[in-house]
C-alpha cells in the first residue's frame, strides 16, 4: 500500500513543483504554498460559518426518520443559502489555486486512454454554467471523480467534495447538495 | 351448440369472471417452487444477503424483494449488505419509504440489519439514515464473528479514505476481511468496465492485507470473476435495474455471469469457507459455489 501512495505523493509534489516552474504561471514554490494556505483559510471560514449555522438547527446526526433527515438537510441548506446569498465564484477557490487545479486535471486526462476518459464522463450531467447556491439536480448521478486525480487536487474537508458538472468542476456541500463554488470550463470537452 | 335464453346472462358473467381470473393470473410474477438451497445453513455460521443497485421503487425491485423474503424462510440471514445506488432519483422522505422501507418491510420487521455503501446515485446524507447503519460515516466497518466488512465510498475515494482503509485493514484481526463498495475494480460490463484507478490505489491494500473476497455493484447484472491477484470479485448490481446482455461474451475474466434478469446473492461463511448462491427474480439459482480462504487453501496445497 505504502509504495503506490508514496509514488503518488512524490508525483503530486513534482506536479506542484512543475506548476510552480511553468513559464505560463511563473509562480515560485512559496507562492504556490501561500495560495494553498489561502485556500485552506477560506475553507476554514466556510466550515466555521457552517458550524455556526448548524448550532442553531437540529444536528445532522443519525435518525431513523427519513422525514426528519430530509427536514434537517433542508433547514441547513436554506440557512447556508441565506448566509451566502452574496457569494461569488472564486470566493472559496482563489485564482492561483484554480491554475493548479486546472493543470492537475489537464495532466490527469492527458495520461488517460480514450476509453477511460469516456467511462469517466459517461455519467456526468450535461450542464450549462453552474451557480453558487444552486442545488445539485436530484435526478442526476454524482459522477465519480477519478481517485488518481483526487490524489493530486488540494484536499477538502469531509463535508465538501469536488464533482464534475458539465465541463465544470464544482465544490459541493455533500450533506446539503449545494454548489458552494465552481471552476468553469476546466474539464476537457466530452 | 345453443343455450336456453335464460342462461345467456349467467354465461356472460361466467365468461367475464374467467377472463378476469386469467388476466390477474398473468399479471402475477411467475413463482415456481424454490429449489433446494446449495448452502449448508449451519447453526453457527455468518449468513447475509448481498444486494446492489436496488433503489428504483419499481415493480422489479419489489419482485426481487419478495423472492428475498421467500429465501429467508429457508436461509435465515441476519443482515444485508447494500452495494450502493440505494435510492435513485429524488431522495425525499417518501423515496426512503417506496424505495427501501416498503419493499424490504418483511426483512426490517424480522430484525434484519442493512449496511449500506454509497453509490453514484446516492446523496452522502444517507449516512445519517439510521436504517442504513452507517453511523454518520461515508466509509466504515462492521463485524460479525470472524468476519469484518470494510464499507467504502468508491464514488469519492479520497486520499484520507485510502489512508483510513490501510489502517483499518492493518489493525483488523478478523479471519475474513471483506471490503465492499459500489464500483467494481474488475468488470466485463460493456457500459462501465473495470475501475483502473481503484486497481492502482486500493487493490494493493487488499493484496497486502489478505483480502479474499470483494463485493461491488454499479453494473446492472451479476458477475463472478476469476480470481484477480488471488482475490475473488463478485459484482451484484442486479437488485432492481437490468442492463440486459451487457456482459462481454468473450471476457476472459468472467467465471460466471448472469445478465438476463435481476438477482440477489446469499452468502454463508462457515469457518474457512464462504458458500454463496445467487438467485434470480424468478427464484432460480443461477450461480453457487464455495470459496476457501487463500491462507488455508495455500497451506493445504503445499502440504
Amino acid at each position: 500500500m505504502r509504495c503506490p501512495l508514496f509514488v503518488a505523493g512524490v508525483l503530486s509534489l513534482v506536479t506542484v513543483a512543475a506548476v510552480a516552474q511553468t513559464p505560463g504561471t511563473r509562480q515560485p514554490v512559496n507562492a504556490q504554498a501561500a495560495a494553498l494556505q489561502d485556500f485552506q483559510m477560506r475553507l476554514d471560514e466556510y466550515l466555521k460559518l457552517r458550524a455556526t449555522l448548524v448550532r442553531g438547527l437540529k444536528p445532522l446526526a443519525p435518525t431513523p426518520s427519513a422525514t426528519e433527515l430530509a427536514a434537517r438537510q433542508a433547514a441547513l441548506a436554506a440557512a447556508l443559502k441565506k448566509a451566502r446569498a452574496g457569494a461569488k465564484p472564486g470566493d472559496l477557490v482563489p485564482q492561483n489555486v484554480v491554475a493548479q487545479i486546472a493543470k492537475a486535471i489537464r495532466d490527469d486526462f492527458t495520461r488517460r486512454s480514450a476509453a477511460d476518459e469516456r467511462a469517466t464522463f459517461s455519467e456526468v450531467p450535461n450542464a450549462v454554467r453552474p451557480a453558487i447556491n444552486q442545488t445539485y439536480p436530484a435526478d442526476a448521478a454524482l459522477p465519480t471523480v477519478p481517485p488518481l486525480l483526487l490524489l493530486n487536487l488540494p484536499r477538502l474537508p469531509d463535508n465538501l467534495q469536488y464533482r464534475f458538472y458539465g465541463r465544470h468542476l464544482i465544490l459541493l456541500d455533500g450533506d446539503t447538495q449545494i454548489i458552494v463554488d465552481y471552476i468553469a470550463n476546466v474539464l476537457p470537452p466530452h | 351448440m345453443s343455450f336456453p335464453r335464460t342462461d345467456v346472462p349467467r354465461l356472460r358473467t361466467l365468461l367475464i369472471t374467467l377472463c378476469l381470473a386469467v388476466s390477474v393470473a398473468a399479471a402475477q410474477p411467475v413463482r415456481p417452487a424454490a429449489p433446494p438451497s446449495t448452502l449448508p445453513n449451519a447453526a453457527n455460521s455468518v449468513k447475509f444477503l448481498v444486494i446492489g443497485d436496488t433503489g428504483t421503487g419499481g415493480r422489479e425491485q419489489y419482485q426481487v424483494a419478495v423472492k428475498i423474503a421467500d429465501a429467508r424462510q429457508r436461509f435465515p440471514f441476519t443482515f444485508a449488505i447494500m452495494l450502493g445506488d440505494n435510492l435513485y432519483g429524488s431522495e425525499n422522505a417518501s423515496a426512503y419509504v417506496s424505495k427501501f422501507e416498503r419493499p424490504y418491510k418483511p426483512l426490517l420487521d424480522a430484525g434484519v440489519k442493512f449496511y449500506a455503501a454509497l453509490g453514484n446515485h446516492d446523496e452522502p446524507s444517507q449516512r445519517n439514515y439510521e436504517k442504513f447503519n452507517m453511523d454518520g460515516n461515508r466509509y466504515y466497518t462492521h463485524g460479525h464473528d470472524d468476519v469484518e466488512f470494510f464499507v467504502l465510498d468508491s464514488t469519492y475515494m479520497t486520499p484520507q479514505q485510502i489512508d483510513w482503509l490501510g489502517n483499518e485493514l492493518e489493525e483488523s484481526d478478523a479471519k475474513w476481511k471483506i471490503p465492499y463498495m459500489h464500483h467494481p475494480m474488475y468488470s466485463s460490463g460493456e457500459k462501465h468496465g473495470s475501475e483502473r484507478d481503484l486497481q492502482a490505489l486500493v487493490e494493493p491494500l487488499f493484496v497486502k492485507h489478505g483480502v479474499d473476497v470483494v463485493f461491488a455493484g454499479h453494473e446492472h447484472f451479476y458477475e463472478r470473476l476469476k480470481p484477480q491477484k488471488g482475490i475473488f470479485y463478485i459484482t451484484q448490481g442486479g437488485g432492481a435495474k437490468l442492463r440486459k446482455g451487457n456482459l462481454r461474451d468473450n471476457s476472459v475474466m468472467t467465471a460466471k455471469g448472469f445478465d438476463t434478469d435481476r438477482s440477489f446473492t446469499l452468502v454463508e461463511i462457515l469457518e474457512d469457507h464462504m458458500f454463496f448462491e445467487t438467485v434470480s427474480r424468478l427464484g432460480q439459482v443461477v450461480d453457487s459455489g464455495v470459496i476457501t480462504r487463500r491462507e488455508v487453501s495455500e497451506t493445504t496445497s503445499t502440504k
Side-chain angles (χ1 to χ4, degrees):
Chain A
M1 166 248 164
R2 301 286 175 218
C3 197
L5 279 184
F6 175 74
V7 171
V10 169
L11 281 175
S12 308
L13 288 173
V14 169
T15 307
V16 170
V19 169
Q21 288 165 10
T22 304
T25 54
R26 288 194 185 284
Q27 284 189 62
V29 173
N30 57 358
Q32 292 292 325
L36 288 172
Q37 200 178 6
D38 179 25
F39 183 35
Q40 195 53 56
M41 283 167 59
R42 294 176 192 215
L43 291 173
D44 289 346
E45 283 302 311
Y46 174 80
L47 291 183
K48 234 181 274 175
L49 169 70
R50 194 182 193 280
T52 308
L53 297 172
V54 166
R55 269 198 292 276
L57 304 166
K58 283 191 178 173
L60 283 176
T63 166
S65 163
T67 307
E68 187 62 32
L69 179 64
R72 292 179 190 183
Q73 201 179 348
L76 178 58
L80 274 171
K81 284 181 181 180
K82 191 176 169 193
R84 300 189 74 239
K88 302 180 299 298
D91 277 1
L92 284 180
V93 192
Q95 200 50 47
N96 32 15
V97 172
V98 168
Q100 290 184 52
I101 290 175
K103 184 173 188 319
I105 291 172
R106 242 185 351 262
D107 290 350
D108 186 88
F109 283 99
T110 303
R111 66 167 183 75
R112 282 184 195 279
S113 67
D116 197 10
E117 192 171 317
R118 258 198 315 279
T120 301
F121 288 126
S122 65
E123 292 189 289
V124 173
N126 286 321
V128 289
R129 210 176 178 88
I132 308 288
N133 285 335
Q134 179 190 341
T135 303
Y136 192 86
D139 54 353
L142 275 168
T144 305
V145 178
L148 284 170
L149 172 59
L150 276 180
L151 210 60
N152 288 318
L153 295 179
R155 289 192 181 196
L156 295 177
D158 190 48
N159 287 326
L160 291 177
Q161 300 185 339
Y162 296 108
R163 293 287 181 178
F164 295 162
Y165 189 59
R167 284 197 57 203
H168 322 291
L169 184 78
I170 58 174
L171 262 67
L172 196 66
D173 184 290
D175 288 325
T176 59
Q177 293 289 287
I178 290 176
I179 297 172
V180 296
D181 203 352
Y182 65 89
I183 305 174
N185 297 311
V186 75
L187 299 174
H190 50 90
Chain B
M1 193 177 185
S2 64
F3 294 94
R5 281 174 88 82
T6 50
D7 282 352
V8 170
R10 203 179 302 160
L11 185 66
R12 192 183 298 139
T13 308
L14 184 70
L15 277 170
I16 290 168
T17 309
L18 190 65
C19 286
L20 277 174
V22 168
S23 58
V24 166
Q28 298 295 317
V30 184
R31 294 186 69 176
S37 176
T38 58
L39 302 165
N41 215 347
N44 57 343
S45 60
V46 174
K47 302 178 185 70
F48 61 97
L49 163 74
V50 183
I51 46 174
D53 301 72
T54 49
T56 61
R59 189 181 57 168
E60 291 83 3
Q61 181 189 5
Y62 280 73
Q63 289 173 341
V64 173
V66 167
K67 286 295 168 198
I68 291 171
D70 286 352
R72 195 170 176 278
Q73 300 300 313
R74 59 182 166 86
F75 180 70
F77 55 84
T78 54
F79 64 96
I81 64 171
M82 298 176 79
L83 304 172
D85 286 358
N86 313 310
L87 302 170
Y88 288 100
S90 169
E91 298 198 9
N92 55 26
S94 67
Y96 279 86
V97 174
S98 64
K99 298 169 188 176
F100 175 70
E101 293 178 5
R102 196 176 297 143
Y104 306 120
K105 187 175 187 304
L107 305 180
L108 290 164
D109 288 349
V112 172
K113 288 183 85 174
F114 288 75
Y115 295 90
L118 294 175
N120 59 314
H121 287 270
D122 297 320
E123 292 180 14
S125 58
Q126 286 182 21
R127 63 186 167 163
N128 285 319
Y129 176 57
E130 254 180 35
K131 288 173 188 148
F132 284 166
N133 288 290
M134 302 172 78
D135 204 22
N137 301 304
R138 288 193 301 114
Y139 43 91
Y140 62 102
T141 63
H142 58 101
H144 309 262
D145 298 333
D146 279 345
V147 188
E148 186 164 13
F149 293 88
F150 301 81
V151 191
L152 305 176
D153 178 2
S154 61
T155 74
Y156 200 67
M157 185 61 72
T158 55
Q160 296 96 310
Q161 185 178 179
I162 295 167
D163 289 345
W164 169 87
L165 176 63
N167 292 334
E168 290 293 324
L169 285 168
E170 177 84 48
E171 285 169 18
S172 173
D173 55 4
K175 197 186 253 189
W176 286 86
K177 298 174 186 177
I178 303 182
Y180 64 93
M181 70 198 97
H182 186 59
H183 294 86
M185 283 193 197
Y186 294 94
S187 168
S188 304
E190 285 178 349
K191 162 98 175 154
H192 296 303
S194 302
E195 290 286 337
R196 302 200 190 286
D197 282 27
L198 292 177
Q199 287 176 18
L201 293 173
V202 179
E203 187 183 48
L205 297 176
F206 293 170
V207 173
K208 179 181 173 187
H209 295 289
V211 165
D212 290 294
V213 184
V214 178
F215 291 99
H218 197 44
E219 301 277 21
H220 297 160
F221 51 65
Y222 169 80
E223 182 180 23
R224 175 166 56 84
L225 293 118
K226 291 172 188 166
Q228 306 291 320
K229 299 193 176 114
I231 299 171
F232 287 86
Y233 289 89
I234 293 175
T235 301
Q236 176 49 280
K241 287 195 170 189
L242 175 66
R243 204 163 281 131
K244 205 169 188 171
N246 197 247
L247 267 167
R248 282 200 312 273
D249 290 336
N250 54 353
S251 172
V252 293
M253 292 193 296
T254 308
K256 177 74 184 181
F258 180 65
D259 65 355
T260 54
D261 202 351
R262 287 84 179 163
S263 62
F264 60 93
T265 299
L266 303 169
V267 179
E268 178 168 9
I269 293 181
L270 188 57
E271 295 174 355
D272 293 317
H273 306 289
M274 188 189 101
F275 300 84
F276 60 91
E277 181 178 289
T278 295
V279 183
S280 78
R281 181 176 59 111
L282 300 180
Q284 295 154 328
V285 175
V286 294
D287 189 24
S288 63
V290 56
I291 292 168
T292 301
R293 282 200 318 122
R294 216 175 341 162
E295 199 178 283
V296 175
S297 58
E298 279 168 5
T299 310
T300 310
S301 63
T302 53
K303 271 181 183 171

